[in-house]
Amino acid sequence: MSKSIEIKDSSKLRNILRIFSALDDARWSDTGNYNLINYCEEDFTPDEKLLTHWLCYITDRGTAFQRVWDVGGYVLSHLVRDFTKRRKTPERTVLDDHLPAQGGLRLECPLVRANPRLKFYAIDSGPVKFASRYMPADTLSIYRTLFILDRLAERSFTQFIYLVVHGETNQGIAIRKLAAAFHFLTYMDIGIVKAGEVQDRMAELKLKTGLEEQLSAFLRNSKVFVADLNSAFSTHRKKRLWCSIRDYLKSDEFNSYLVGALEQIDTDEAPRWSRKNVEKAALAMMELPGDVWNNDPIFRDGLFSPHVGSIPKSWDMPRTIRAIHTQMEGQGATFYPEQLDVTFNFVPNMCGKLQCHRCIFGGGIGKLCHQQRGFYCPVTLAACGYFFVCDPDNCAFKSDSVRGVCKARLPNTPAANARRCRIRPKPDRRFHL
Protein backbone atom coordinates (compact mmCIF):
# COMPACT_ATOMS: atom_id res chain seq x y z
CA MET A 1 0.00 0.00 0.00
CA SER A 2 1.33 3.40 -0.96
CA LYS A 3 2.14 5.69 1.93
CA SER A 4 1.91 8.86 -0.14
CA ILE A 5 -1.07 11.16 -0.36
CA GLU A 6 -1.93 14.05 -2.66
CA ILE A 7 -2.04 17.49 -1.02
CA LYS A 8 -4.55 19.67 -2.88
CA ASP A 9 -4.27 22.85 -0.82
CA SER A 10 -1.08 22.92 1.20
CA SER A 11 -1.63 26.51 2.38
CA LYS A 12 -4.99 25.83 4.03
CA LEU A 13 -3.80 22.52 5.44
CA ARG A 14 -0.70 24.19 6.89
CA ASN A 15 -2.89 26.81 8.61
CA ILE A 16 -5.16 24.12 10.08
CA LEU A 17 -2.19 22.16 11.37
CA ARG A 18 -0.62 25.32 12.80
CA ILE A 19 -3.71 25.83 14.99
CA PHE A 20 -3.58 22.26 16.28
CA SER A 21 0.11 22.72 17.03
CA ALA A 22 -0.76 25.86 19.05
CA LEU A 23 -3.51 23.98 20.92
CA ASP A 24 -0.99 21.27 21.74
CA ASP A 25 1.43 23.89 23.08
CA ALA A 26 -1.40 25.21 25.27
CA ARG A 27 -2.17 21.70 26.50
CA TRP A 28 1.31 21.13 27.89
CA SER A 29 1.79 24.65 29.26
CA ASP A 30 -0.18 23.97 32.46
CA THR A 31 -0.22 20.81 34.58
CA GLY A 32 -3.89 21.54 35.30
CA ASN A 33 -4.67 20.42 31.75
CA TYR A 34 -3.66 16.87 32.57
CA ASN A 35 -4.83 14.26 35.09
CA LEU A 36 -2.49 13.45 37.95
CA ILE A 37 -2.21 9.95 39.41
CA ASN A 38 -3.75 9.26 42.80
CA TYR A 39 -0.80 7.50 44.45
CA CYS A 40 -1.49 5.43 47.56
CA GLU A 41 1.50 7.00 49.37
CA GLU A 42 3.22 10.38 49.12
CA ASP A 43 6.83 9.16 49.03
CA PHE A 44 6.95 7.48 45.62
CA THR A 45 10.26 7.78 43.80
CA PRO A 46 10.35 9.11 40.20
CA ASP A 47 10.95 5.56 38.96
CA GLU A 48 7.94 4.22 40.88
CA LYS A 49 5.77 7.03 39.53
CA LEU A 50 6.81 6.24 35.96
CA LEU A 51 6.02 2.55 36.40
CA THR A 52 2.64 3.36 37.97
CA HIS A 53 1.87 5.62 35.02
CA TRP A 54 2.82 2.88 32.56
CA LEU A 55 0.62 0.30 34.30
CA CYS A 56 -2.30 2.76 34.43
CA TYR A 57 -2.12 3.23 30.67
CA ILE A 58 -2.31 -0.55 30.19
CA THR A 59 -5.84 -0.37 31.62
CA ASP A 60 -6.83 2.89 29.87
CA ARG A 61 -9.14 1.62 27.13
CA GLY A 62 -12.89 1.44 27.21
CA THR A 63 -12.85 2.78 30.77
CA ALA A 64 -13.51 6.34 31.98
CA PHE A 65 -10.03 7.88 32.00
CA GLN A 66 -10.67 9.75 35.28
CA ARG A 67 -11.40 6.48 37.05
CA VAL A 68 -8.21 4.97 35.65
CA TRP A 69 -6.06 7.70 37.20
CA ASP A 70 -8.04 8.07 40.46
CA VAL A 71 -9.01 4.51 41.43
CA GLY A 72 -6.71 2.52 39.15
CA GLY A 73 -3.81 4.79 40.07
CA TYR A 74 -4.32 4.10 43.76
CA VAL A 75 -4.49 0.31 43.36
CA LEU A 76 -1.69 0.06 40.79
CA SER A 77 0.63 2.31 42.79
CA HIS A 78 0.15 -0.03 45.75
CA LEU A 79 1.04 -2.93 43.46
CA VAL A 80 4.16 -1.05 42.30
CA ARG A 81 5.23 -0.37 45.88
CA ASP A 82 4.95 -4.08 46.70
CA PHE A 83 7.08 -4.90 43.65
CA THR A 84 9.78 -2.26 44.12
CA LYS A 85 10.19 -1.52 47.85
CA ARG A 86 8.81 -4.68 49.43
CA ARG A 87 10.59 -6.80 46.80
CA LYS A 88 7.75 -9.25 46.32
CA THR A 89 7.95 -11.59 43.33
CA PRO A 90 5.86 -10.72 40.25
CA GLU A 91 3.65 -13.75 40.98
CA ARG A 92 2.98 -12.75 44.56
CA THR A 93 2.62 -9.05 43.66
CA VAL A 94 -0.15 -9.69 41.13
CA LEU A 95 -1.67 -13.08 41.87
CA ASP A 96 -1.48 -13.44 45.65
CA ASP A 97 -1.73 -9.89 46.95
CA HIS A 98 -3.78 -7.92 44.42
CA LEU A 99 -5.92 -10.44 42.53
CA PRO A 100 -8.69 -11.75 44.82
CA ALA A 101 -9.75 -15.36 44.46
CA GLN A 102 -13.48 -14.59 44.51
CA GLY A 103 -15.88 -11.89 43.39
CA GLY A 104 -14.85 -11.49 39.77
CA LEU A 105 -11.59 -10.61 38.07
CA ARG A 106 -10.25 -7.34 39.46
CA LEU A 107 -7.30 -5.78 41.22
CA GLU A 108 -7.60 -4.55 44.78
CA CYS A 109 -5.51 -3.26 47.68
CA PRO A 110 -6.02 -2.03 51.26
CA LEU A 111 -7.02 1.58 51.87
CA VAL A 112 -3.87 2.97 53.51
CA ARG A 113 -5.63 6.07 54.83
CA ALA A 114 -8.62 8.27 53.96
CA ASN A 115 -8.21 9.52 50.39
CA PRO A 116 -10.10 12.60 49.14
CA ARG A 117 -10.12 11.52 45.50
CA LEU A 118 -11.47 8.07 46.33
CA LYS A 119 -14.32 9.67 48.28
CA PHE A 120 -15.68 10.99 44.99
CA TYR A 121 -16.31 7.32 44.13
CA ALA A 122 -17.86 6.61 47.55
CA ILE A 123 -14.74 4.65 48.56
CA ASP A 124 -14.05 5.36 52.22
CA SER A 125 -13.02 1.92 53.40
CA GLY A 126 -10.94 -0.91 52.01
CA PRO A 127 -10.32 -2.86 49.99
CA VAL A 128 -10.05 -0.44 47.06
CA LYS A 129 -11.20 -2.31 43.95
CA PHE A 130 -10.43 -1.59 40.31
CA ALA A 131 -11.33 -3.41 37.11
CA SER A 132 -10.73 -2.26 33.56
CA ARG A 133 -12.97 -3.16 30.64
CA TYR A 134 -10.46 -5.71 29.33
CA MET A 135 -9.29 -7.02 32.66
CA PRO A 136 -8.02 -10.49 31.60
CA ALA A 137 -5.64 -9.16 28.94
CA ASP A 138 -4.66 -6.15 31.06
CA THR A 139 -3.82 -8.36 34.05
CA LEU A 140 -1.59 -10.52 31.90
CA SER A 141 0.10 -7.43 30.43
CA ILE A 142 0.77 -6.09 33.94
CA TYR A 143 2.24 -9.41 35.01
CA ARG A 144 4.39 -9.66 31.85
CA THR A 145 5.75 -6.16 32.54
CA LEU A 146 6.80 -6.99 36.10
CA PHE A 147 8.19 -10.37 35.06
CA ILE A 148 10.46 -8.87 32.39
CA LEU A 149 11.54 -5.89 34.52
CA ASP A 150 12.54 -8.36 37.24
CA ARG A 151 14.65 -10.36 34.78
CA LEU A 152 16.21 -7.57 32.72
CA ALA A 153 16.28 -4.29 34.63
CA GLU A 154 16.58 -4.90 38.37
CA ARG A 155 12.85 -4.15 38.73
CA SER A 156 13.41 -0.61 37.50
CA PHE A 157 11.26 0.83 34.70
CA THR A 158 13.80 3.61 34.15
CA GLN A 159 16.67 1.14 33.98
CA PHE A 160 14.81 -0.63 31.18
CA ILE A 161 14.43 2.70 29.33
CA TYR A 162 18.13 3.42 29.83
CA LEU A 163 19.19 0.04 28.43
CA VAL A 164 17.22 0.85 25.27
CA VAL A 165 18.15 4.48 24.57
CA HIS A 166 21.70 4.67 25.93
CA GLY A 167 24.27 4.86 23.14
CA GLU A 168 21.75 5.79 20.43
CA THR A 169 22.79 9.31 19.45
CA ASN A 170 19.83 9.93 17.13
CA GLN A 171 16.92 10.88 19.41
CA GLY A 172 14.28 10.00 16.84
CA ILE A 173 15.66 6.49 16.34
CA ALA A 174 15.99 6.14 20.11
CA ILE A 175 12.27 6.95 20.49
CA ARG A 176 11.31 4.37 17.86
CA LYS A 177 13.52 1.77 19.54
CA LEU A 178 11.93 2.60 22.88
CA ALA A 179 8.47 2.09 21.39
CA ALA A 180 9.48 -1.33 20.05
CA ALA A 181 11.03 -2.30 23.39
CA PHE A 182 7.96 -1.12 25.32
CA HIS A 183 5.77 -3.27 23.06
CA PHE A 184 7.96 -6.26 23.88
CA LEU A 185 7.86 -5.42 27.59
CA THR A 186 4.08 -5.35 27.89
CA TYR A 187 1.93 -6.10 24.86
CA MET A 188 3.68 -8.69 22.70
CA ASP A 189 1.95 -12.08 22.42
CA ILE A 190 -0.90 -11.15 24.77
CA GLY A 191 -3.77 -11.50 22.30
CA ILE A 192 -7.25 -12.33 23.50
CA VAL A 193 -7.42 -13.58 27.09
CA LYS A 194 -10.48 -15.01 28.82
CA ALA A 195 -11.08 -14.49 32.53
CA GLY A 196 -10.65 -18.18 33.36
CA GLU A 197 -7.32 -18.33 31.52
CA VAL A 198 -5.40 -15.62 33.39
CA GLN A 199 -3.62 -17.76 35.98
CA ASP A 200 -2.73 -20.47 33.45
CA ARG A 201 -1.40 -17.85 31.02
CA MET A 202 0.70 -16.32 33.81
CA ALA A 203 2.21 -19.72 34.62
CA GLU A 204 2.74 -20.41 30.92
CA LEU A 205 4.54 -17.07 30.49
CA LYS A 206 6.99 -18.01 33.24
CA LEU A 207 7.83 -21.31 31.54
CA LYS A 208 7.64 -20.17 27.92
CA THR A 209 10.78 -21.31 26.08
CA GLY A 210 10.56 -18.62 23.41
CA LEU A 211 10.41 -15.82 25.96
CA GLU A 212 13.34 -17.29 27.88
CA GLU A 213 15.37 -17.27 24.69
CA GLN A 214 14.43 -13.65 24.05
CA LEU A 215 15.39 -12.59 27.56
CA SER A 216 18.73 -14.37 27.23
CA ALA A 217 19.34 -12.62 23.90
CA PHE A 218 18.56 -9.25 25.49
CA LEU A 219 21.00 -9.92 28.35
CA ARG A 220 23.72 -11.01 25.92
CA ASN A 221 23.47 -7.94 23.71
CA SER A 222 20.63 -5.50 24.35
CA LYS A 223 21.60 -3.24 21.42
CA VAL A 224 21.30 -6.00 18.83
CA PHE A 225 18.13 -7.37 20.40
CA VAL A 226 16.38 -3.96 20.46
CA ALA A 227 17.51 -3.21 16.89
CA ASP A 228 15.90 -6.47 15.77
CA LEU A 229 12.71 -5.61 17.67
CA ASN A 230 12.63 -2.22 15.98
CA SER A 231 13.07 -3.61 12.47
CA ALA A 232 10.01 -5.84 12.94
CA PHE A 233 7.88 -3.35 14.88
CA SER A 234 4.68 -1.91 13.42
CA THR A 235 4.22 1.61 14.78
CA HIS A 236 0.48 1.92 14.14
CA ARG A 237 -2.46 0.84 16.33
CA LYS A 238 -0.41 1.29 19.53
CA LYS A 239 -2.50 3.97 21.24
CA ARG A 240 -1.60 3.35 24.89
CA LEU A 241 2.08 2.93 24.11
CA TRP A 242 2.38 6.24 22.24
CA CYS A 243 0.35 8.09 24.88
CA SER A 244 2.85 6.97 27.50
CA ILE A 245 5.93 7.95 25.51
CA ARG A 246 4.33 11.32 24.73
CA ASP A 247 3.85 11.98 28.45
CA TYR A 248 7.44 11.09 29.27
CA LEU A 249 8.73 13.54 26.65
CA LYS A 250 6.18 16.39 26.81
CA SER A 251 4.47 16.48 30.21
CA ASP A 252 6.26 18.77 32.63
CA GLU A 253 5.38 16.40 35.47
CA PHE A 254 6.33 13.04 33.94
CA ASN A 255 9.31 14.37 32.01
CA SER A 256 10.76 15.64 35.29
CA TYR A 257 10.31 12.13 36.73
CA LEU A 258 12.06 10.61 33.72
CA VAL A 259 15.00 13.00 33.91
CA GLY A 260 15.24 12.64 37.70
CA ALA A 261 15.20 8.85 37.51
CA LEU A 262 17.78 8.79 34.70
CA GLU A 263 20.07 11.03 36.76
CA GLN A 264 20.26 8.24 39.32
CA ILE A 265 21.62 5.98 36.58
CA ASP A 266 23.70 8.21 34.27
CA THR A 267 24.15 11.95 34.76
CA ASP A 268 25.30 12.34 31.15
CA GLU A 269 22.27 10.60 29.62
CA ALA A 270 19.59 12.37 31.66
CA PRO A 271 19.86 15.97 30.33
CA ARG A 272 19.24 15.11 26.69
CA TRP A 273 15.81 13.77 27.62
CA SER A 274 14.70 16.98 29.29
CA ARG A 275 11.66 18.30 27.41
CA LYS A 276 13.54 21.48 26.48
CA ASN A 277 16.28 19.39 24.84
CA VAL A 278 14.15 16.92 22.88
CA GLU A 279 14.32 17.89 19.21
CA LYS A 280 11.11 18.50 17.28
CA ALA A 281 12.37 16.11 14.60
CA ALA A 282 12.55 13.44 17.30
CA LEU A 283 9.03 14.22 18.54
CA ALA A 284 7.86 13.80 14.94
CA MET A 285 8.80 10.11 15.20
CA MET A 286 5.89 9.54 17.59
CA GLU A 287 2.64 8.34 16.03
CA LEU A 288 -0.76 9.89 16.69
CA PRO A 289 -2.60 7.66 19.20
CA GLY A 290 -5.69 6.55 17.29
CA ASP A 291 -9.07 6.90 18.99
CA VAL A 292 -12.73 7.59 18.24
CA TRP A 293 -12.15 11.34 18.39
CA ASN A 294 -9.53 11.86 15.72
CA ASN A 295 -11.38 9.35 13.54
CA ASP A 296 -14.68 11.21 13.98
CA PRO A 297 -16.17 11.68 10.47
CA ILE A 298 -17.33 15.28 11.09
CA PHE A 299 -13.82 16.27 12.16
CA ARG A 300 -12.00 14.29 9.49
CA ASP A 301 -14.25 15.19 6.58
CA GLY A 302 -14.56 18.82 7.61
CA LEU A 303 -10.89 19.69 8.03
CA PHE A 304 -8.77 17.14 6.17
CA SER A 305 -10.60 15.28 3.39
CA PRO A 306 -11.32 18.48 1.36
CA HIS A 307 -7.61 19.36 1.16
CA VAL A 308 -6.11 16.01 0.20
CA GLY A 309 -6.63 13.46 -2.53
CA SER A 310 -8.28 10.08 -2.20
CA ILE A 311 -7.58 8.43 1.15
CA PRO A 312 -7.50 4.60 1.24
CA LYS A 313 -10.55 3.26 3.08
CA SER A 314 -8.34 1.18 5.38
CA TRP A 315 -6.46 4.23 6.65
CA ASP A 316 -7.36 5.59 10.05
CA MET A 317 -6.45 9.16 11.04
CA PRO A 318 -3.01 8.27 12.48
CA ARG A 319 -1.97 6.72 9.17
CA THR A 320 -3.48 9.63 7.23
CA ILE A 321 -1.79 12.34 9.28
CA ARG A 322 1.54 10.50 9.04
CA ALA A 323 1.22 10.55 5.24
CA ILE A 324 0.29 14.25 5.30
CA HIS A 325 3.29 15.02 7.50
CA THR A 326 5.60 13.10 5.17
CA GLN A 327 4.33 15.05 2.16
CA MET A 328 4.52 18.45 3.87
CA GLU A 329 7.80 17.95 5.73
CA GLY A 330 10.25 20.64 4.75
CA GLN A 331 7.52 23.02 3.54
CA GLY A 332 7.64 25.28 6.58
CA ALA A 333 5.16 23.25 8.63
CA THR A 334 6.08 23.01 12.33
CA PHE A 335 3.35 20.45 13.07
CA TYR A 336 4.07 16.77 13.81
CA PRO A 337 1.50 13.90 13.89
CA GLU A 338 1.17 13.30 17.64
CA GLN A 339 0.05 16.91 18.18
CA LEU A 340 -3.33 16.03 16.71
CA ASP A 341 -4.03 14.14 19.94
CA VAL A 342 -5.60 17.37 21.22
CA THR A 343 -8.66 16.00 19.41
CA PHE A 344 -9.22 13.96 22.58
CA ASN A 345 -10.51 17.23 24.05
CA PHE A 346 -11.34 19.25 20.93
CA VAL A 347 -13.69 16.88 19.10
CA PRO A 348 -16.09 16.08 21.99
CA ASN A 349 -16.16 19.80 22.90
CA MET A 350 -16.71 21.12 19.39
CA CYS A 351 -17.71 18.48 16.82
CA GLY A 352 -19.50 16.24 19.30
CA LYS A 353 -21.69 19.13 20.51
CA LEU A 354 -21.97 20.74 17.06
CA GLN A 355 -20.52 23.98 18.39
CA CYS A 356 -19.71 25.21 14.88
CA HIS A 357 -20.82 28.77 15.64
CA ARG A 358 -18.00 29.24 18.20
CA CYS A 359 -15.40 26.87 16.74
CA ILE A 360 -12.03 28.21 15.60
CA PHE A 361 -12.62 26.52 12.23
CA GLY A 362 -16.32 27.43 12.04
CA GLY A 363 -17.85 30.70 13.17
CA GLY A 364 -14.52 31.91 14.49
CA ILE A 365 -13.33 33.35 17.78
CA GLY A 366 -14.50 36.97 17.49
CA LYS A 367 -16.75 36.73 20.55
CA LEU A 368 -14.19 34.78 22.59
CA CYS A 369 -10.82 36.41 22.10
CA HIS A 370 -10.17 39.18 24.67
CA GLN A 371 -6.38 39.71 24.24
CA GLN A 372 -5.94 40.50 27.93
CA ARG A 373 -2.38 39.67 28.92
CA GLY A 374 -2.07 37.43 31.95
CA PHE A 375 -5.69 36.23 31.88
CA TYR A 376 -6.70 32.77 30.75
CA CYS A 377 -7.39 32.38 27.03
CA PRO A 378 -11.13 31.80 26.37
CA VAL A 379 -10.32 30.28 22.97
CA THR A 380 -8.38 27.31 24.35
CA LEU A 381 -10.86 26.92 27.21
CA ALA A 382 -13.81 26.76 24.82
CA ALA A 383 -12.08 24.54 22.28
CA CYS A 384 -10.42 22.02 24.57
CA GLY A 385 -10.89 23.05 28.19
CA TYR A 386 -7.20 24.03 28.40
CA PHE A 387 -5.97 26.68 30.81
CA PHE A 388 -3.51 28.85 28.89
CA VAL A 389 -2.30 32.31 29.84
CA CYS A 390 -2.98 34.96 27.19
CA ASP A 391 0.03 36.56 25.50
CA PRO A 392 -1.34 38.83 22.73
CA ASP A 393 2.11 39.47 21.26
CA ASN A 394 2.68 35.76 20.63
CA CYS A 395 -0.74 34.37 19.78
CA ALA A 396 -1.56 31.86 17.06
CA PHE A 397 -5.31 32.34 17.46
CA LYS A 398 -6.09 36.07 17.49
CA SER A 399 -5.88 36.55 13.71
CA ASP A 400 -8.92 34.27 13.32
CA SER A 401 -7.21 33.04 10.15
CA VAL A 402 -8.96 29.66 9.94
CA ARG A 403 -12.50 30.93 10.48
CA GLY A 404 -14.88 29.13 8.14
CA VAL A 405 -12.39 26.58 6.75
CA CYS A 406 -14.28 23.53 8.08
CA LYS A 407 -16.39 22.10 5.27
CA ALA A 408 -18.62 20.20 7.73
CA ARG A 409 -19.59 23.28 9.73
CA LEU A 410 -23.22 24.22 10.24
CA PRO A 411 -24.21 27.83 9.56
CA ASN A 412 -25.48 29.70 12.62
CA THR A 413 -29.08 29.98 11.51
CA PRO A 414 -32.38 28.99 13.17
CA ALA A 415 -32.62 26.00 10.84
CA ALA A 416 -29.11 24.90 11.73
CA ASN A 417 -29.83 25.32 15.44
CA ALA A 418 -32.89 23.10 15.04
CA ARG A 419 -30.70 20.56 13.30
CA ARG A 420 -28.31 20.64 16.24
CA CYS A 421 -31.14 19.61 18.51
CA ARG A 422 -32.15 16.73 16.25
CA ILE A 423 -28.80 15.28 15.27
CA ARG A 424 -26.37 13.63 17.61
CA PRO A 425 -23.67 12.11 15.38
CA LYS A 426 -21.90 9.05 16.68
CA PRO A 427 -18.11 8.84 16.33
CA ASP A 428 -16.67 6.24 13.99
CA ARG A 429 -15.58 3.49 16.39
CA ARG A 430 -13.78 1.29 13.87
CA PHE A 431 -10.43 2.51 15.11
CA HIS A 432 -11.10 2.62 18.86
CA LEU A 433 -8.11 0.87 20.41
Side-chain angles (χ1 to χ4, degrees):
M1 179 186 295
S2 172
K3 293 185 178 180
S4 64
I5 197 168
E6 178 192 1
I7 306 296
K8 292 181 177 180
D9 193 331
S10 60
S11 178
K12 282 189 177 179
L13 201 52
R14 190 180 299 111
N15 283 338
I16 291 169
L17 295 174
R18 178 177 56 83
I19 293 299
F20 282 113
S21 179
L23 287 172
D24 183 67
D25 289 342
R27 179 187 197 182
W28 300 107
S29 69
D30 191 310
T31 55
N33 297 330
Y34 197 73
N35 296 296
L36 305 179
I37 295 174
N38 185 23
Y39 301 103
C40 68
E41 297 280 6
E42 296 180 356
D43 62 343
F44 270 56
T45 65
D47 183 64
E48 288 175 313
K49 289 180 177 180
L50 290 171
L51 179 54
T52 301
H53 173 278
W54 177 259
L55 298 186
C56 282
Y57 252 123
I58 292 174
T59 69
D60 190 13
R61 52 176 180 160
T63 303
F65 69 90
Q66 192 71 47
R67 187 176 185 88
V68 169
W69 302 114
D70 288 344
V71 183
Y74 190 93
V75 175
L76 289 167
S77 65
H78 189 278
L79 182 150
V80 166
R81 179 50 60 91
D82 272 1
F83 179 67
T84 55
K85 285 289 175 62
R86 301 182 183 104
R87 308 298 295 178
K88 295 182 179 179
T89 64
E91 294 88 351
R92 185 177 176 189
T93 299
V94 178
L95 189 59
D96 296 341
D97 292 353
H98 292 88
L99 204 66
Q102 297 179 339
L105 186 62
R106 66 182 185 276
L107 294 171
E108 65 178 39
C109 73
L111 181 64
V112 178
R113 62 180 58 85
N115 184 280
R117 286 169 70 175
L118 291 181
K119 285 187 176 181
F120 281 105
Y121 301 87
I123 301 173
D124 51 18
S125 62
V128 183
K129 304 174 184 179
F130 174 73
S132 65
R133 183 175 180 180
Y134 301 96
M135 200 63 211
D138 293 348
T139 302
L140 191 60
S141 287
I142 290 168
Y143 175 74
R144 178 186 174 98
T145 301
L146 302 187
F147 181 80
I148 293 177
L149 289 180
D150 182 48
R151 293 290 301 276
L152 299 183
E154 302 174 11
R155 301 193 173 203
S156 168
F157 187 66
T158 313
Q159 177 70 18
F160 182 82
I161 294 174
Y162 177 76
L163 291 171
V164 174
V165 303
H166 178 60
E168 177 53 71
T169 57
N170 185 306
Q171 275 191 326
I173 295 176
I175 289 170
R176 285 298 180 102
K177 286 183 175 179
L178 183 61
F182 274 163
H183 178 68
F184 168 75
L185 175 69
T186 297
Y187 299 111
M188 186 178 285
D189 298 329
I190 295 297
I192 298 174
V193 185
K194 296 179 180 178
E197 300 173 343
V198 172
Q199 294 191 30
D200 289 341
R201 289 284 300 273
M202 287 170 63
E204 175 189 324
L205 181 73
K206 187 177 179 181
L207 301 172
K208 198 171 184 180
T209 304
L211 179 59
E212 282 297 326
E213 292 173 351
Q214 290 175 316
L215 297 179
S216 297
F218 188 103
L219 290 170
R220 282 196 306 271
N221 193 326
S222 62
K223 303 303 179 188
V224 171
F225 183 78
V226 172
D228 290 342
L229 283 179
N230 189 40
S231 64
F233 178 61
S234 173
T235 60
H236 291 285
R237 311 298 292 274
K238 306 291 190 301
K239 174 184 175 180
R240 294 167 290 168
L241 185 153
W242 287 117
C243 283
S244 296
I245 293 177
R246 170 207 65 203
D247 289 357
Y248 303 147
L249 299 179
K250 295 174 65 172
S251 161
D252 186 52
E253 179 194 2
F254 289 102
N255 181 253
S256 69
Y257 298 154
L258 175 63
V259 174
L262 283 172
E263 284 176 346
Q264 301 300 311
I265 300 170
D266 186 337
T267 55
D268 293 328
E269 182 71 33
R272 77 168 180 143
W273 294 107
S274 172
R275 63 196 295 244
K276 67 177 182 294
N277 294 330
V278 179
E279 303 161 358
K280 184 158 284 191
L283 295 175
M285 299 297 280
M286 294 189 293
E287 299 295 349
L288 168 67
D291 59 25
V292 297
W293 304 119
N294 51 54
N295 285 295
D296 180 90
I298 293 177
F299 166 76
R300 185 180 62 231
D301 296 342
L303 291 176
F304 291 93
S305 299
H307 307 303
V308 299
S310 177
I311 301 173
K313 292 183 178 179
S314 62
W315 282 19
D316 57 4
M317 198 61 197
R319 197 174 292 270
T320 301
I321 200 64
R322 171 58 64 184
I324 290 172
H325 177 268
T326 300
Q327 290 293 102
M328 298 186 68
E329 198 172 13
Q331 298 182 24
T334 59
F335 175 86
Y336 54 88
E338 183 278 328
Q339 288 186 306
L340 204 65
D341 191 54
V342 295
T343 51
F344 178 78
N345 302 111
F346 177 85
V347 173
N349 261 11
M350 292 286 115
C351 309
K353 297 177 182 177
L354 297 176
Q355 294 292 302
C356 307
H357 56 299
R358 59 171 61 97
C359 177
I360 301 174
F361 306 103
I365 64 171
K367 293 183 178 181
L368 289 171
C369 183
H370 57 51
Q371 297 187 45
Q372 296 292 309
R373 186 184 307 277
F375 288 82
Y376 284 125
C377 172
V379 176
T380 59
L381 274 171
C384 299
Y386 297 157
F387 291 97
F388 181 60
V389 178
C390 177
D391 180 4
D393 296 333
N394 298 284
C395 180
F397 309 114
K398 70 177 184 179
S399 66
D400 214 9
S401 60
V402 291
R403 177 169 56 87
V405 301
C406 180
K407 302 300 182 182
R409 72 186 186 280
L410 297 176
N412 192 24
T413 64
N417 290 334
R419 182 183 169 196
R420 288 190 182 96
C421 295
R422 294 195 304 269
I423 300 176
R424 179 67 177 176
K426 295 182 179 180
D428 188 340
R429 298 186 181 275
R430 290 176 299 162
F431 306 110
H432 187 196
L433 303 185

